[in-house]
Amino acid sequence: MDVLSEVIASMRTGLPAATRTDARAPWAMRLRPVAGPGFHVILEGACWLVPPSGPSGPSELGGVGEAGEPVELAAGDVVFLRSGREHVLADDPATTPTRLHTGPDGGGGFGELTIEGPGARTVMLCGAYDLDQARPHPLLRGLPPVIHVRARHGRHPELRSAVALLCAELSGGRPGADGIVPPMIDVLLFYVLRAWLDEADAPDGWAAALTDPGISRALKAIHEEPGRPWTVEALGRCAGLSRAAFARRFAALVGEPPLAYLTRWRMTTAGRLLRETRDPLSAVAERTGYTSEFAFAKAFKREFGVAPGGYRKSAARPRSA
């Protein structure tokens, strides 16, 4: 599995959820914050993404548009909101929001919402990804607060195709849609992140790390074999760089030294194994590079604040709706 896929898989705690909204102007929805990243796909018509008003107003979305101005969204546009913060969708920035729309909040599920009115029609898919926010991967933290991928002809054909397929599934009422739509929404996330990587003019941070030939090879090695007793020198050889040059470049792009990231990824992998498997702690320790269950448990508790067994029990409990 490539690094981007591994990162998303490691953070996933449930299925994405979505609501198909069919609205006729005038309308404005204030969407409450959600626990994970949010997204909007404009299937038909047009609308505006408006930062919330009030004391914390334009800064809430970290610079939507210029100086926090509303952004016009057209059919085929896709918007990814890194933190799922409160915001407004409206037919016009001047329309006053009339409701606090609950919307989806991860955990799977698909709903529909209709807003009646005499004006122009907008159809959109609004949703949330169920990703771990307690310990977000640096890749997620390094994303812009808002990624707006415009429906430009000839750009990102895979993303355009995914949007078209989603539109067909959501508008046709055909059998099997409930099983098809969630994985398509997952695919949409990867295409949005690819578009972000492709359109970064002067990429830095994780955008640069994933596209840097040497550093991306080292990251791939860490992700493929987190239990291997890696050294900075060995990772430098994977990258085709000297030890010192590799350590400097890795820290500059990834944001932390190689072995610090290795430890982070080992703990991330351990958390995923504890959530998704019934492997004994000794096996989880071995797969993440620890020679004893005691050493693993100590490192895990230092990172998560809870012992591995307690973490596993907590992850197994159903979350409240």
Side-chain angles (χ1 to χ4, degrees):
M1 192 181 291
D2 65 88
V3 173
L4 182 58
S5 301
E6 282 272 11
V7 167
I8 299 302
S10 73
M11 293 183 62
R12 190 184 309 283
T13 55
L15 294 172
T19 299
R20 180 182 183 272
T21 299
D22 190 331
R24 291 186 178 272
W27 60 273
M29 299 188 302
R30 185 179 297 277
L31 289 100
R32 66 171 174 82
V34 295
F39 67 90
H40 303 296
V41 183
I42 311 306
L43 302 173
E44 296 179 38
C47 65
W48 291 80
L49 173 65
V50 185
S53 58
S56 58
S59 65
E60 281 291 316
L61 290 180
V64 170
E66 295 297 325
E69 293 298 318
V71 174
E72 187 172 14
L73 307 176
D77 282 11
V78 181
V79 176
F80 176 84
L81 306 171
R82 181 188 67 199
S83 64
R85 288 182 173 177
E86 179 182 321
H87 59 285
V88 171
L89 289 176
D91 70 301
D92 186 279
T95 304
T96 302
T98 57
R99 70 175 73 191
L100 180 65
H101 181 54
T102 56
D105 192 16
F110 172 68
E112 296 192 32
L113 174 68
T114 300
I115 302 175
E116 301 290 348
R121 184 189 188 203
T122 300
V123 182
M124 53 198 166
L125 182 70
C126 306
Y129 292 103
D130 211 346
L131 303 180
D132 184 9
Q133 298 296 293
R135 299 179 66 260
H137 189 275
L139 170 62
L140 186 65
R141 290 203 308 268
L143 292 174
V146 179
I147 298 175
H148 179 197
V149 184
R150 300 181 187 275
R152 290 182 287 195
H153 180 69
R155 297 299 302 273
H156 314 301
E158 300 91 349
L159 179 57
R160 304 273 73 81
S161 296
V163 170
L165 285 170
L166 267 173
C167 184
E169 288 297 330
L170 293 169
S171 62
R174 299 168 65 186
D178 287 349
I180 293 172
V181 169
M184 287 180 66
I185 294 174
D186 272 339
V187 167
L188 186 74
L189 173 59
F190 286 102
Y191 283 144
V192 167
L193 295 178
R194 274 190 188 174
W196 166 67
L197 289 168
D198 291 344
E199 294 193 353
D201 293 330
D204 57 8
W206 268 87
L210 290 176
T211 55
D212 182 280
I215 300 304
S216 63
R217 284 196 299 270
L219 284 169
K220 189 172 188 294
I222 289 172
H223 281 237
E224 287 182 344
E225 298 183 273
R228 183 169 169 175
W230 290 109
T231 64
V232 176
E233 185 176 5
L235 290 168
R237 286 196 296 270
C238 291
L241 297 169
S242 69
R243 183 186 187 281
F246 167 72
R248 286 195 301 270
R249 186 159 185 79
F250 189 99
L253 295 182
V254 176
E256 58 189 332
L259 297 188
Y261 182 79
L262 172 63
T263 299
R264 175 196 295 277
W265 185 248
R266 284 174 169 173
M267 291 294 98
T268 299
T269 301
R272 182 182 177 190
L273 291 172
L274 290 169
R275 288 195 308 268
E276 299 179 1
T277 76
R278 303 309 301 169
D279 293 349
L281 296 188
S282 57
V284 175
E286 183 178 355
R287 288 182 62 180
T288 53
Y290 290 87
T291 56
S292 75
E293 188 176 323
F294 174 78
F296 164 70
K298 184 177 179 181
F300 189 91
K301 187 170 184 179
R302 183 168 59 244
E303 184 73 15
F304 284 84
V306 62
Y311 179 87
R312 172 171 270 170
K313 289 178 183 176
S314 176
R317 293 191 199 107
R319 291 180 298 168
S320 57

